[in-house]
Short mmCIF file of all heavy atoms in Angstrom, two decimals:
data_model
loop_
_atom_site.label_atom_id
_atom_site.label_comp_id
_atom_site.label_asym_id
_atom_site.label_seq_id
_atom_site.Cartn_x
_atom_site.Cartn_y
_atom_site.Cartn_z
N MET A 1 -28.72 -0.09 25.73
CA MET A 1 -28.15 0.40 24.50
C MET A 1 -27.39 1.71 24.73
O MET A 1 -26.31 1.89 24.17
CB MET A 1 -29.26 0.60 23.48
CG MET A 1 -28.74 0.94 22.13
SD MET A 1 -30.10 0.73 20.97
CE MET A 1 -29.50 1.65 19.63
N LEU A 2 -27.93 2.59 25.54
CA LEU A 2 -27.24 3.84 25.83
C LEU A 2 -25.91 3.59 26.53
O LEU A 2 -24.93 4.30 26.29
CB LEU A 2 -28.13 4.76 26.66
CG LEU A 2 -29.36 5.32 25.96
CD1 LEU A 2 -30.21 6.14 26.92
CD2 LEU A 2 -28.95 6.15 24.76
N ARG A 3 -25.86 2.59 27.39
CA ARG A 3 -24.62 2.25 28.07
C ARG A 3 -23.56 1.79 27.08
O ARG A 3 -22.39 2.15 27.19
CB ARG A 3 -24.90 1.17 29.12
CG ARG A 3 -23.73 0.97 30.07
CD ARG A 3 -24.06 0.05 31.22
NE ARG A 3 -24.41 -1.28 30.75
CZ ARG A 3 -25.46 -1.99 31.16
NH1 ARG A 3 -26.27 -1.50 32.06
NH2 ARG A 3 -25.70 -3.18 30.68
N GLN A 4 -23.98 1.02 26.06
CA GLN A 4 -23.04 0.58 25.02
C GLN A 4 -22.51 1.75 24.22
O GLN A 4 -21.31 1.83 23.93
CB GLN A 4 -23.71 -0.41 24.08
CG GLN A 4 -23.97 -1.76 24.69
CD GLN A 4 -24.73 -2.67 23.73
OE1 GLN A 4 -25.47 -2.20 22.88
NE2 GLN A 4 -24.55 -3.96 23.89
N ILE A 5 -23.37 2.68 23.86
CA ILE A 5 -22.96 3.86 23.10
C ILE A 5 -21.99 4.70 23.92
O ILE A 5 -20.95 5.15 23.42
CB ILE A 5 -24.19 4.69 22.68
CG1 ILE A 5 -25.01 3.90 21.66
CG2 ILE A 5 -23.77 6.03 22.12
CD1 ILE A 5 -26.36 4.51 21.36
N ALA A 6 -22.28 4.90 25.19
CA ALA A 6 -21.40 5.69 26.05
C ALA A 6 -20.05 5.01 26.22
O ALA A 6 -19.01 5.67 26.20
CB ALA A 6 -22.06 5.89 27.42
N GLY A 7 -20.04 3.69 26.36
CA GLY A 7 -18.78 2.95 26.48
C GLY A 7 -17.94 3.06 25.23
O GLY A 7 -16.72 3.26 25.28
N LYS A 8 -18.57 2.95 24.07
CA LYS A 8 -17.84 3.08 22.81
C LYS A 8 -17.26 4.48 22.66
O LYS A 8 -16.11 4.65 22.26
CB LYS A 8 -18.76 2.76 21.64
CG LYS A 8 -18.08 2.78 20.31
CD LYS A 8 -19.00 2.35 19.19
CE LYS A 8 -18.26 2.36 17.87
NZ LYS A 8 -19.13 1.97 16.76
N ALA A 9 -18.03 5.49 22.99
CA ALA A 9 -17.55 6.87 22.90
C ALA A 9 -16.36 7.08 23.84
O ALA A 9 -15.39 7.75 23.50
CB ALA A 9 -18.67 7.84 23.24
N ARG A 10 -16.42 6.51 25.04
CA ARG A 10 -15.33 6.65 26.00
C ARG A 10 -14.06 5.96 25.50
O ARG A 10 -12.97 6.48 25.61
CB ARG A 10 -15.77 6.07 27.35
CG ARG A 10 -14.85 6.36 28.50
CD ARG A 10 -15.42 5.94 29.85
NE ARG A 10 -16.03 4.62 29.88
CZ ARG A 10 -17.35 4.37 29.91
NH1 ARG A 10 -18.21 5.37 29.89
NH2 ARG A 10 -17.80 3.14 29.95
N ARG A 11 -14.20 4.76 24.89
CA ARG A 11 -13.04 4.02 24.39
C ARG A 11 -12.43 4.68 23.15
O ARG A 11 -11.22 4.71 22.99
CB ARG A 11 -13.44 2.59 24.04
CG ARG A 11 -13.64 1.70 25.24
CD ARG A 11 -13.86 0.25 24.82
NE ARG A 11 -14.98 0.08 23.89
CZ ARG A 11 -16.26 -0.04 24.24
NH1 ARG A 11 -16.59 0.01 25.52
NH2 ARG A 11 -17.21 -0.21 23.33
N ASN A 12 -13.26 5.18 22.26
CA ASN A 12 -12.76 5.76 21.01
C ASN A 12 -12.25 7.19 21.17
O ASN A 12 -11.49 7.67 20.34
CB ASN A 12 -13.85 5.74 19.94
CG ASN A 12 -14.16 4.34 19.49
OD1 ASN A 12 -13.36 3.42 19.68
ND2 ASN A 12 -15.31 4.16 18.90
N GLY A 13 -12.68 7.86 22.21
CA GLY A 13 -12.23 9.22 22.44
C GLY A 13 -12.86 10.21 21.47
O GLY A 13 -13.72 9.86 20.67
N PRO A 14 -12.42 11.47 21.53
CA PRO A 14 -13.03 12.50 20.68
C PRO A 14 -12.56 12.39 19.23
O PRO A 14 -11.52 11.81 18.94
CB PRO A 14 -12.53 13.80 21.31
CG PRO A 14 -11.23 13.42 21.94
CD PRO A 14 -11.40 12.00 22.42
N GLY A 15 -13.31 12.97 18.34
CA GLY A 15 -12.93 13.10 16.94
C GLY A 15 -12.85 14.57 16.60
O GLY A 15 -13.57 15.40 17.18
N PHE A 16 -11.97 14.94 15.70
CA PHE A 16 -11.76 16.34 15.36
C PHE A 16 -11.84 16.52 13.85
O PHE A 16 -11.22 15.76 13.10
CB PHE A 16 -10.38 16.82 15.84
CG PHE A 16 -10.20 16.69 17.33
CD1 PHE A 16 -9.59 15.58 17.87
CD2 PHE A 16 -10.65 17.69 18.17
CE1 PHE A 16 -9.43 15.45 19.24
CE2 PHE A 16 -10.49 17.56 19.54
CZ PHE A 16 -9.87 16.45 20.08
N ASN A 17 -12.57 17.52 13.42
CA ASN A 17 -12.58 17.94 12.02
C ASN A 17 -11.68 19.17 11.93
O ASN A 17 -11.66 20.00 12.83
CB ASN A 17 -13.99 18.31 11.57
CG ASN A 17 -14.90 17.11 11.53
OD1 ASN A 17 -14.51 16.04 11.09
ND2 ASN A 17 -16.12 17.28 12.00
N PHE A 18 -10.94 19.29 10.83
CA PHE A 18 -10.06 20.44 10.67
C PHE A 18 -10.01 20.86 9.21
O PHE A 18 -10.39 20.13 8.31
CB PHE A 18 -8.65 20.14 11.20
CG PHE A 18 -8.00 18.97 10.55
CD1 PHE A 18 -7.28 19.10 9.37
CD2 PHE A 18 -8.10 17.70 11.11
CE1 PHE A 18 -6.68 18.01 8.78
CE2 PHE A 18 -7.50 16.60 10.52
CZ PHE A 18 -6.78 16.76 9.35
N GLN A 19 -9.52 22.08 8.99
CA GLN A 19 -9.32 22.59 7.64
C GLN A 19 -8.02 23.38 7.62
O GLN A 19 -7.80 24.26 8.46
CB GLN A 19 -10.49 23.47 7.22
CG GLN A 19 -10.37 23.94 5.80
CD GLN A 19 -11.65 24.55 5.28
OE1 GLN A 19 -12.68 24.50 5.92
NE2 GLN A 19 -11.57 25.12 4.09
N LEU A 20 -7.15 23.05 6.67
CA LEU A 20 -5.88 23.74 6.46
C LEU A 20 -5.88 24.23 5.02
O LEU A 20 -5.57 23.48 4.10
CB LEU A 20 -4.69 22.79 6.68
CG LEU A 20 -4.63 22.09 8.03
CD1 LEU A 20 -3.61 20.97 8.00
CD2 LEU A 20 -4.28 23.09 9.10
N GLY A 21 -6.25 25.48 4.80
CA GLY A 21 -6.39 25.98 3.43
C GLY A 21 -7.48 25.21 2.71
O GLY A 21 -8.61 25.13 3.18
N ASN A 22 -7.15 24.62 1.55
CA ASN A 22 -8.15 23.86 0.80
C ASN A 22 -8.20 22.40 1.22
O ASN A 22 -8.92 21.61 0.64
CB ASN A 22 -7.91 23.96 -0.71
CG ASN A 22 -6.68 23.20 -1.15
OD1 ASN A 22 -5.77 22.94 -0.36
ND2 ASN A 22 -6.62 22.86 -2.42
N LEU A 23 -7.43 22.05 2.23
CA LEU A 23 -7.34 20.68 2.71
C LEU A 23 -8.25 20.50 3.92
O LEU A 23 -8.15 21.25 4.89
CB LEU A 23 -5.89 20.38 3.09
CG LEU A 23 -5.51 18.97 3.42
CD1 LEU A 23 -5.62 18.10 2.17
CD2 LEU A 23 -4.09 18.94 3.93
N LYS A 24 -9.14 19.52 3.86
CA LYS A 24 -10.04 19.22 4.99
C LYS A 24 -9.70 17.83 5.50
O LYS A 24 -9.19 17.00 4.75
CB LYS A 24 -11.49 19.24 4.54
CG LYS A 24 -11.97 20.59 4.08
CD LYS A 24 -13.38 20.52 3.58
CE LYS A 24 -13.80 21.87 3.04
NZ LYS A 24 -15.15 21.83 2.47
N GLY A 25 -9.99 17.58 6.75
CA GLY A 25 -9.71 16.26 7.27
C GLY A 25 -10.40 15.98 8.58
O GLY A 25 -11.13 16.80 9.12
N GLN A 26 -10.13 14.78 9.07
CA GLN A 26 -10.69 14.33 10.33
C GLN A 26 -9.64 13.49 11.05
O GLN A 26 -8.94 12.70 10.42
CB GLN A 26 -11.95 13.51 10.12
CG GLN A 26 -12.62 13.10 11.41
CD GLN A 26 -13.90 12.33 11.17
OE1 GLN A 26 -14.00 11.58 10.23
NE2 GLN A 26 -14.88 12.54 12.04
N ALA A 27 -9.55 13.66 12.35
CA ALA A 27 -8.62 12.88 13.17
C ALA A 27 -9.40 12.28 14.33
O ALA A 27 -10.22 12.94 14.96
CB ALA A 27 -7.50 13.76 13.70
N SER A 28 -9.14 11.01 14.59
CA SER A 28 -9.74 10.33 15.73
C SER A 28 -8.67 9.45 16.34
O SER A 28 -7.52 9.45 15.91
CB SER A 28 -10.95 9.50 15.29
OG SER A 28 -10.54 8.44 14.47
N ARG A 29 -9.05 8.68 17.32
CA ARG A 29 -8.09 7.82 18.01
C ARG A 29 -7.42 6.83 17.05
O ARG A 29 -6.24 6.54 17.17
CB ARG A 29 -8.80 7.06 19.12
CG ARG A 29 -7.88 6.16 19.89
CD ARG A 29 -8.61 5.49 21.02
NE ARG A 29 -7.71 4.63 21.76
CZ ARG A 29 -8.06 3.93 22.80
NH1 ARG A 29 -9.30 3.99 23.25
NH2 ARG A 29 -7.20 3.18 23.42
N TYR A 30 -8.17 6.32 16.09
CA TYR A 30 -7.67 5.25 15.24
C TYR A 30 -7.28 5.68 13.83
O TYR A 30 -6.68 4.89 13.11
CB TYR A 30 -8.71 4.13 15.15
CG TYR A 30 -8.99 3.48 16.48
CD1 TYR A 30 -10.17 3.68 17.15
CD2 TYR A 30 -8.02 2.69 17.08
CE1 TYR A 30 -10.41 3.09 18.37
CE2 TYR A 30 -8.24 2.10 18.31
CZ TYR A 30 -9.45 2.30 18.95
OH TYR A 30 -9.67 1.72 20.17
N SER A 31 -7.63 6.87 13.40
CA SER A 31 -7.31 7.25 12.03
C SER A 31 -7.24 8.76 11.84
O SER A 31 -7.78 9.52 12.63
CB SER A 31 -8.36 6.67 11.07
OG SER A 31 -9.61 7.28 11.31
N VAL A 32 -6.56 9.13 10.76
CA VAL A 32 -6.51 10.51 10.31
C VAL A 32 -6.69 10.46 8.80
O VAL A 32 -6.09 9.61 8.14
CB VAL A 32 -5.15 11.18 10.62
CG1 VAL A 32 -5.07 12.58 10.04
CG2 VAL A 32 -4.88 11.20 12.10
N TYR A 33 -7.53 11.32 8.26
CA TYR A 33 -7.61 11.36 6.82
C TYR A 33 -7.76 12.80 6.34
O TYR A 33 -8.18 13.68 7.07
CB TYR A 33 -8.73 10.46 6.26
CG TYR A 33 -10.14 10.91 6.50
CD1 TYR A 33 -10.76 11.81 5.63
CD2 TYR A 33 -10.87 10.41 7.55
CE1 TYR A 33 -12.06 12.20 5.83
CE2 TYR A 33 -12.18 10.80 7.75
CZ TYR A 33 -12.77 11.70 6.88
OH TYR A 33 -14.06 12.08 7.09
N PHE A 34 -7.33 13.00 5.08
CA PHE A 34 -7.34 14.31 4.46
C PHE A 34 -8.13 14.23 3.16
O PHE A 34 -8.08 13.23 2.46
CB PHE A 34 -5.91 14.75 4.12
CG PHE A 34 -5.00 14.78 5.31
CD1 PHE A 34 -4.21 13.70 5.64
CD2 PHE A 34 -4.92 15.92 6.11
CE1 PHE A 34 -3.37 13.73 6.73
CE2 PHE A 34 -4.08 15.95 7.21
CZ PHE A 34 -3.30 14.86 7.52
N MET A 35 -8.83 15.32 2.83
CA MET A 35 -9.57 15.42 1.57
C MET A 35 -9.32 16.82 1.00
O MET A 35 -9.17 17.78 1.75
CB MET A 35 -11.07 15.25 1.80
CG MET A 35 -11.49 13.93 2.37
SD MET A 35 -13.26 13.87 2.70
CE MET A 35 -13.47 15.19 3.88
N ALA A 36 -9.29 16.91 -0.32
CA ALA A 36 -9.14 18.20 -0.98
C ALA A 36 -9.95 18.22 -2.25
O ALA A 36 -10.08 17.19 -2.93
CB ALA A 36 -7.67 18.47 -1.27
N ASP A 37 -10.52 19.38 -2.58
CA ASP A 37 -11.29 19.53 -3.80
C ASP A 37 -10.38 19.50 -5.03
O ASP A 37 -10.78 19.09 -6.10
CB ASP A 37 -12.09 20.83 -3.79
CG ASP A 37 -13.16 20.83 -2.69
OD1 ASP A 37 -13.64 19.73 -2.34
OD2 ASP A 37 -13.49 21.91 -2.19
N GLU A 38 -9.15 19.97 -4.86
CA GLU A 38 -8.18 20.01 -5.94
C GLU A 38 -6.97 19.16 -5.55
O GLU A 38 -6.75 18.91 -4.37
CB GLU A 38 -7.73 21.46 -6.18
CG GLU A 38 -8.88 22.38 -6.56
CD GLU A 38 -8.44 23.83 -6.67
OE1 GLU A 38 -7.23 24.11 -6.58
OE2 GLU A 38 -9.32 24.68 -6.82
N PRO A 39 -6.17 18.74 -6.51
CA PRO A 39 -4.98 17.96 -6.18
C PRO A 39 -4.05 18.73 -5.22
O PRO A 39 -3.91 19.95 -5.32
CB PRO A 39 -4.30 17.74 -7.52
CG PRO A 39 -5.38 17.90 -8.53
CD PRO A 39 -6.34 18.92 -7.96
N ILE A 40 -3.46 18.00 -4.30
CA ILE A 40 -2.53 18.59 -3.33
C ILE A 40 -1.16 18.68 -3.99
O ILE A 40 -0.69 17.71 -4.59
CB ILE A 40 -2.45 17.70 -2.07
CG1 ILE A 40 -3.82 17.60 -1.42
CG2 ILE A 40 -1.44 18.26 -1.08
CD1 ILE A 40 -3.90 16.56 -0.33
N ASP A 41 -0.52 19.86 -3.88
CA ASP A 41 0.79 19.99 -4.52
C ASP A 41 1.81 19.09 -3.83
O ASP A 41 1.64 18.69 -2.68
CB ASP A 41 1.25 21.45 -4.56
CG ASP A 41 1.48 22.06 -3.20
OD1 ASP A 41 2.23 21.48 -2.40
OD2 ASP A 41 0.92 23.13 -2.94
N GLU A 42 2.84 18.77 -4.53
CA GLU A 42 3.82 17.78 -4.07
C GLU A 42 4.51 18.20 -2.77
O GLU A 42 4.76 17.37 -1.89
CB GLU A 42 4.86 17.53 -5.17
CG GLU A 42 5.72 16.31 -4.92
CD GLU A 42 4.93 15.02 -4.85
OE1 GLU A 42 3.90 14.88 -5.55
OE2 GLU A 42 5.33 14.12 -4.08
N GLU A 43 4.77 19.48 -2.60
CA GLU A 43 5.43 19.96 -1.38
C GLU A 43 4.54 19.71 -0.15
O GLU A 43 5.01 19.20 0.87
CB GLU A 43 5.75 21.44 -1.51
CG GLU A 43 6.44 22.02 -0.28
CD GLU A 43 6.70 23.50 -0.40
OE1 GLU A 43 6.34 24.11 -1.42
OE2 GLU A 43 7.26 24.05 0.56
N MET A 44 3.26 20.06 -0.26
CA MET A 44 2.34 19.84 0.86
C MET A 44 2.16 18.36 1.13
O MET A 44 2.13 17.92 2.28
CB MET A 44 0.99 20.49 0.56
CG MET A 44 -0.06 20.22 1.63
SD MET A 44 0.39 20.82 3.27
CE MET A 44 -0.21 22.48 3.17
N ARG A 45 2.04 17.58 0.09
CA ARG A 45 1.88 16.12 0.22
C ARG A 45 3.07 15.52 0.96
O ARG A 45 2.91 14.72 1.88
CB ARG A 45 1.74 15.50 -1.16
CG ARG A 45 1.44 14.05 -1.14
CD ARG A 45 1.24 13.57 -2.60
NE ARG A 45 0.95 12.17 -2.64
CZ ARG A 45 1.89 11.21 -2.59
NH1 ARG A 45 3.15 11.52 -2.52
NH2 ARG A 45 1.53 9.95 -2.61
N THR A 46 4.27 15.93 0.60
CA THR A 46 5.49 15.44 1.25
C THR A 46 5.51 15.84 2.73
O THR A 46 5.84 15.02 3.58
CB THR A 46 6.73 16.00 0.53
OG1 THR A 46 6.71 15.57 -0.83
CG2 THR A 46 8.01 15.51 1.19
N LYS A 47 5.12 17.07 3.03
CA LYS A 47 5.10 17.52 4.43
C LYS A 47 4.10 16.71 5.25
O LYS A 47 4.39 16.32 6.39
CB LYS A 47 4.75 19.00 4.51
CG LYS A 47 5.87 19.90 4.06
CD LYS A 47 5.45 21.35 4.16
CE LYS A 47 6.55 22.28 3.70
NZ LYS A 47 6.16 23.69 3.77
N LEU A 48 2.93 16.46 4.69
CA LEU A 48 1.92 15.68 5.41
C LEU A 48 2.40 14.25 5.68
O LEU A 48 2.27 13.74 6.79
CB LEU A 48 0.62 15.63 4.62
CG LEU A 48 -0.20 16.90 4.59
CD1 LEU A 48 -1.35 16.77 3.60
CD2 LEU A 48 -0.71 17.23 5.97
N ILE A 49 2.96 13.62 4.67
CA ILE A 49 3.45 12.24 4.83
C ILE A 49 4.59 12.19 5.83
O ILE A 49 4.64 11.30 6.69
CB ILE A 49 3.84 11.64 3.47
CG1 ILE A 49 2.56 11.43 2.65
CG2 ILE A 49 4.60 10.33 3.64
CD1 ILE A 49 2.81 11.02 1.22
N ASP A 50 5.51 13.16 5.76
CA ASP A 50 6.61 13.20 6.73
C ASP A 50 6.10 13.39 8.15
O ASP A 50 6.59 12.75 9.09
CB ASP A 50 7.59 14.33 6.39
CG ASP A 50 8.42 14.04 5.15
OD1 ASP A 50 8.45 12.87 4.70
OD2 ASP A 50 9.01 15.00 4.62
N PHE A 51 5.09 14.25 8.32
CA PHE A 51 4.51 14.46 9.64
C PHE A 51 3.88 13.17 10.16
O PHE A 51 4.13 12.76 11.30
CB PHE A 51 3.46 15.57 9.60
CG PHE A 51 2.61 15.61 10.83
CD1 PHE A 51 3.13 16.02 12.05
CD2 PHE A 51 1.29 15.20 10.79
CE1 PHE A 51 2.36 16.05 13.19
CE2 PHE A 51 0.49 15.23 11.93
CZ PHE A 51 1.03 15.65 13.13
N LEU A 52 3.10 12.50 9.33
CA LEU A 52 2.44 11.26 9.76
C LEU A 52 3.48 10.19 10.09
O LEU A 52 3.32 9.45 11.07
CB LEU A 52 1.47 10.78 8.69
CG LEU A 52 0.25 11.68 8.48
CD1 LEU A 52 -0.53 11.23 7.26
CD2 LEU A 52 -0.62 11.73 9.71
N ARG A 53 4.52 10.08 9.31
CA ARG A 53 5.58 9.10 9.60
C ARG A 53 6.29 9.43 10.91
O ARG A 53 6.73 8.52 11.62
CB ARG A 53 6.57 9.04 8.45
CG ARG A 53 6.02 8.28 7.27
CD ARG A 53 7.09 7.95 6.26
NE ARG A 53 6.49 7.15 5.20
CZ ARG A 53 6.57 7.43 3.92
NH1 ARG A 53 7.24 8.47 3.50
NH2 ARG A 53 5.97 6.65 3.04
N SER A 54 6.42 10.71 11.24
CA SER A 54 7.11 11.11 12.48
C SER A 54 6.35 10.64 13.71
O SER A 54 6.93 10.50 14.79
CB SER A 54 7.29 12.63 12.53
OG SER A 54 6.07 13.29 12.82
N LEU A 55 5.05 10.37 13.57
CA LEU A 55 4.26 9.87 14.70
C LEU A 55 4.61 8.42 15.03
O LEU A 55 4.35 7.97 16.14
CB LEU A 55 2.76 9.98 14.39
CG LEU A 55 2.25 11.40 14.13
CD1 LEU A 55 0.79 11.37 13.72
CD2 LEU A 55 2.47 12.30 15.32
N LYS A 56 5.18 7.72 14.06
CA LYS A 56 5.66 6.34 14.23
C LYS A 56 4.57 5.41 14.77
O LYS A 56 4.78 4.65 15.69
CB LYS A 56 6.89 6.29 15.13
CG LYS A 56 8.05 7.07 14.56
CD LYS A 56 9.27 6.98 15.40
CE LYS A 56 10.32 7.83 14.72
NZ LYS A 56 11.62 7.63 15.14
N TYR A 57 3.39 5.51 14.14
CA TYR A 57 2.29 4.67 14.58
C TYR A 57 1.43 4.34 13.39
O TYR A 57 1.00 5.22 12.66
CB TYR A 57 1.46 5.41 15.65
CG TYR A 57 0.37 4.54 16.22
CD1 TYR A 57 0.67 3.57 17.16
CD2 TYR A 57 -0.93 4.68 15.81
CE1 TYR A 57 -0.32 2.78 17.69
CE2 TYR A 57 -1.93 3.88 16.32
CZ TYR A 57 -1.62 2.92 17.26
OH TYR A 57 -2.60 2.13 17.78
N GLY A 58 1.18 3.10 13.14
CA GLY A 58 0.28 2.69 12.07
C GLY A 58 0.92 2.71 10.70
O GLY A 58 2.14 2.79 10.56
N THR A 59 0.08 2.66 9.68
CA THR A 59 0.54 2.67 8.30
C THR A 59 -0.10 3.84 7.56
O THR A 59 -1.13 4.37 7.97
CB THR A 59 0.14 1.36 7.58
OG1 THR A 59 -1.28 1.22 7.65
CG2 THR A 59 0.80 0.16 8.22
N ILE A 60 0.51 4.22 6.45
CA ILE A 60 0.00 5.32 5.62
C ILE A 60 -0.52 4.72 4.33
O ILE A 60 0.19 4.00 3.64
CB ILE A 60 1.12 6.32 5.33
CG1 ILE A 60 1.63 6.94 6.64
CG2 ILE A 60 0.62 7.39 4.37
CD1 ILE A 60 2.84 7.82 6.48
N ASN A 61 -1.77 4.99 4.02
CA ASN A 61 -2.38 4.56 2.76
C ASN A 61 -2.47 5.78 1.86
O ASN A 61 -3.16 6.74 2.19
CB ASN A 61 -3.78 3.99 2.99
CG ASN A 61 -3.76 2.76 3.86
OD1 ASN A 61 -2.84 1.95 3.77
ND2 ASN A 61 -4.75 2.63 4.70
N GLU A 62 -1.75 5.74 0.75
CA GLU A 62 -1.75 6.89 -0.16
C GLU A 62 -2.74 6.71 -1.27
O GLU A 62 -3.01 5.70 -1.76
CB GLU A 62 -0.35 7.06 -0.75
CG GLU A 62 0.66 7.37 0.34
CD GLU A 62 2.05 7.57 -0.22
OE1 GLU A 62 2.19 8.29 -1.22
OE2 GLU A 62 2.98 6.98 0.32
#
């Protein structure tokens, strides 16, 4: 069982938690997500979506 856990960790890579002002999130090999206690203003939302689109990988779920 430990070998399976180690293999999964090696394949999935590290995960990162971050905070940008009131915006919190997590990034891993397969996903990135953002959370906020208050609504995100339109300017910040646009910047985040533009940044994610610039990576040209996957889809964005709003």
Side-chain angles (χ1 to χ4, degrees):
M1 187 165 162
L2 292 176
R3 192 172 61 227
Q4 288 176 333
I5 292 170
K8 184 175 181 181
R10 191 172 45 256
R11 286 187 304 276
N12 291 341
F16 300 95
N17 293 318
F18 58 86
Q19 184 167 353
L20 304 168
N22 71 337
L23 189 67
K24 296 177 184 177
Q26 184 178 35
S28 67
R29 181 177 181 180
Y30 297 109
S31 66
V32 175
Y33 71 85
F34 303 94
M35 299 176 299
D37 295 332
E38 300 175 7
I40 300 170
D41 64 54
E42 193 61 33
E43 180 183 0
M44 176 60 87
R45 186 176 179 278
T46 300
K47 287 179 181 179
L48 287 171
I49 291 172
D50 289 345
F51 166 70
L52 293 171
R53 284 193 176 127
S54 75
L55 299 175
K56 299 183 181 195
Y57 185 77
T59 58
I60 298 173
N61 298 323
E62 297 181 47

